[in-house]
Amino acid sequence: MRKIDIRTAKDQVARSDTIRNINKLVVLNYIREFEPTSRAEIARHTALQRSTVSSLVTSLIEEGLVKEVGIGKSSGGRKPMLLELSRDEEAAIGVDITPSTTTIATANLAGEILEKHSFPTFADREKTVSNILRALEKIKGRLRKNNIQIGVSVPGVVDDISGVVIYVPFFGWENWKLREDLSEKLGLPVLVDNDANAIALAESWFGRSEVRGVKSFIAVLVAEGLGTGIFFDGQIYRGNKGAAGEFGHMTIGKQRSETACSCGGRYCLEAFVSNKATLNRYNKLVGKAEDDVERVFDLALRGDKKALEAVFETVDFLGLGVANLIVGLSPELVVIAGKITKLWNLIQPTLIEKISSTIKQKIPTAKITASTLGENPTLLGAISLSLVKKFAKIDSAV
């Protein structure tokens, strides 16, 4: 799936048999990016004929994707009718599976959450599937439209073509036909992807403007594990069978971590950077058994020395890992996501200094920024997967 880039819409306007569908996506994405806007503005910036834009907008209104919201200011002629995305009903269903919690939510076309339910993720895969299906069946029964795609983010390797979850290291789940399990029972289309990939997609659509405005960036998710979503040339890079981006399992030096990686290894970057690593580091320093990493982050914000020591050791290893990503992939930007970003103002200078001091080559620098997707970025990632069908053109994945 490739993001429609409205900045180059003049180059994307279709001249083939698919002209109407692709041009409709161009118009829809322009409205999403610049709402409220007018038909005249869309025509001016996409090189589509005014009559074509009017026809496409009429179609989008009839489909319930766009609505007229009032009259804008005149620039010399007739006052324009303003357009924006319809926010009146469910347009997406997201299923966010994490090692601890599964969250299911509905959202409107703008990605705004309308309804949300959470429950524990069980190591028993069938029990987890049963709970997901039960929640989705209730949601489906209340939907006014049945053309909604379900997006699912998973903390593991996913073959997005087949929808098979190849491996979830936290639970040892292998060859899980998740898309088949859900779509056959619900009768709705399902798209499954790795959680970090889903975050990268969400950043490209709903993140801060400097993220939406670049063609190549890397999203690094610091959570129970460490995930990496690679967004290159307007689409997610997945590699062979969706296994690209598993940089959390990159070996760094010969130091052995006291925290095991989700794969069981002690030398993986994840073993030094995950929330679990920070938590174990803090507990060792204070001689207690704190089980909530947010508590450690809150203590760090209040200046607790032991919490700060644990956090900044994590930041040191995170900087080392990000430096390797920059050297190897040369992105324009790196986005850090996860609960650790609540400390962003505190950790940003140290993180950037570590990255800068590690990279010795004279290569283009990458900007480092924190995600603005909120406390649950993987959920918005799942919502983005659900919205793909409405906003992106489907083509061969890289």
Side-chain angles (χ1 to χ4, degrees), residues 199 203 207-208 211 220 335-338 341 344 369-374 377:
I199 286 178
E203 288 286 354
R208 63 177 79 223
V211 181
V220 178
V335 183
I336 308 297
T341 57
W344 190 247
T369 188
S371 172
T372 56
L373 297 182

Side-chain angles (χ1 to χ4, degrees), residues 176-237:
W176 180 15
K177 296 181 180 180
L178 179 55
R179 186 172 74 187
E180 185 177 305
D181 285 350
L182 298 182
S183 61
E184 285 188 355
K185 292 180 174 65
L186 295 166
L188 293 174
V190 177
L191 186 62
V192 184
D193 210 337
N194 166 266
D195 53 3
N197 286 346
I199 286 178
L201 184 64
E203 288 286 354
S204 75
W205 284 353
F206 304 117
R208 63 177 79 223
S209 59
E210 59 262 42
V211 181
R212 300 197 311 270
V214 301
K215 282 198 169 184
S216 66
F217 69 86
I218 297 173
V220 178
L221 171 63
V222 182
E224 288 95 336
L226 184 71
T228 309
I230 305 170
F231 189 86
F232 277 174
D233 192 26
Q235 62 185 324
I236 303 298
Y237 176 76

